[in-house]
Amino acid sequence: CVPLVARMQPASRSGLLKNAISHSVAAGTVHFEQGEVPAFQHIVLSGSAHLFGRSSEGREVLIEIVHPGDLVIPAAVVMASPYLMQARVLEPSRFLLIEADLFRSAVEDEPALAQAMIGSLAGQFRRMVRQIKNLKLRSSTQRVGCYILALSHEQKNPDRVVLPFEKNLIASELGMTRESFSRTLSALQHHGIAVQGDTIAIEDADRLAAISGLDPLIDAD
């Protein structure tokens, strides 16, 4: 069962999910566009959803990655307002789609779902605040260094990481150009790493952490 609805009463859960759709999508699929009004609440079952913001001039940045078990932009669904981001799938993924009207009614009527929604929204808000602090309080060198250390933790390998996406995508998430990202990687080779294509060897994690300025109030996850 999806963790978000696991604590609902069985009858309420069955009513919420009776018309839900399990939707598998291929890599490269645009799940929805920014500006669309949500017809469904999307929940990631496997894979991920990458959320992009785009300016009127066409400039695009990666804002967040939504992982299994989490809701995709629930604020837009709850408020019945247009999405502020596009959702794109960069790997084969599966989503649970629940009708937006039904989902809003269930949030109003079912305390367990409302509590789970508050938890999801709070978690997303805290991630967004950490991201803003990362972008505004750190130099490009610190941002890239912390990104490498976070990848090491995520990939469970203290000695080596593999960049999970194209460098231009990672750069946009870190608030820089691809060229700046590449220059920063090159500079960090004097501070504990060695770069070979998309693979980064961590030769001195303590030295890398020292220059990156790890902060538990930003890097807790």
Side-chain angles (χ1 to χ4, degrees):
C1 183
V2 177
L4 182 79
V5 301
R7 290 192 293 169
M8 292 178 65
Q9 294 296 320
S12 299
R13 184 169 61 242
S14 296
L16 178 66
L17 299 178
K18 66 178 180 180
N19 293 321
I21 302 168
S22 178
H23 183 49
S24 297
V25 294
T29 301
V30 174
H31 213 40
F32 53 75
E33 288 285 358
Q34 67 178 29
E36 291 182 11
V37 176
F40 299 95
Q41 174 62 69
H42 302 75
I43 303 174
V44 182
L45 298 179
S46 64
S48 59
H50 288 63
L51 305 181
F52 293 88
R54 189 185 304 114
S55 70
S56 57
E57 293 82 20
R59 181 169 176 260
E60 184 177 79
V61 294
L62 175 62
I63 295 177
E64 187 177 11
I65 302 172
V66 185
H67 298 286
D70 207 355
L71 300 165
V72 182
I73 318 185
V77 178
V78 171
M79 299 181 67
S81 300
Y83 289 121
L84 300 181
M85 295 173 282
Q86 177 204 73
R88 196 154 75 228
V89 177
L90 301 186
E91 59 184 324
S93 302
R94 190 163 60 93
F95 297 85
L96 184 68
L97 277 57
I98 302 173
E99 294 177 3
D101 289 340
L102 186 62
F103 188 82
R104 282 190 289 269
S105 296
V107 169
E108 292 178 1
D109 297 337
E110 179 57 49
L113 180 60
Q115 187 176 19
M117 271 290 296
I118 291 170
S120 178
L121 288 167
Q124 292 186 9
F125 173 77
R126 289 177 66 81
R127 288 198 301 272
M128 195 63 65
V129 171
R130 287 189 180 115
Q131 183 185 57
I132 292 169
K133 290 176 70 175
N134 186 46
L135 292 173
K136 290 183 176 289
L137 297 177
R138 284 175 166 161
S139 67
S140 59
T141 299
Q142 290 175 319
R143 295 199 299 274
V144 174
C146 287
Y147 179 80
I148 293 169
L149 291 167
L151 275 185
S152 173
H153 178 73
E154 180 182 326
Q155 297 178 4
K156 297 180 173 60
N157 190 337
D159 302 318
R160 187 177 303 272
V161 300
V162 178
L163 297 180
F165 312 114
E166 295 179 0
K167 289 181 179 177
N168 63 321
L169 194 61
I170 297 171
S172 75
E173 184 180 11
L174 296 177
M176 61 184 71
T177 65
R178 179 192 172 103
E179 291 75 20
S180 178
F181 179 66
S182 295
R183 285 195 299 270
T184 303
L185 281 179
S186 179
L188 282 172
Q189 293 191 96
H190 301 291
H191 299 283
I193 69 169
V195 181
Q196 184 66 45
D198 290 335
T199 301
I200 299 173
I202 302 175
E203 299 174 337
D204 190 336
D206 290 339
R207 187 176 181 185
L208 179 61
I211 196 173
S212 300
L214 284 175
D215 182 343
L217 295 181
I218 299 176
D219 307 301
D221 292 340

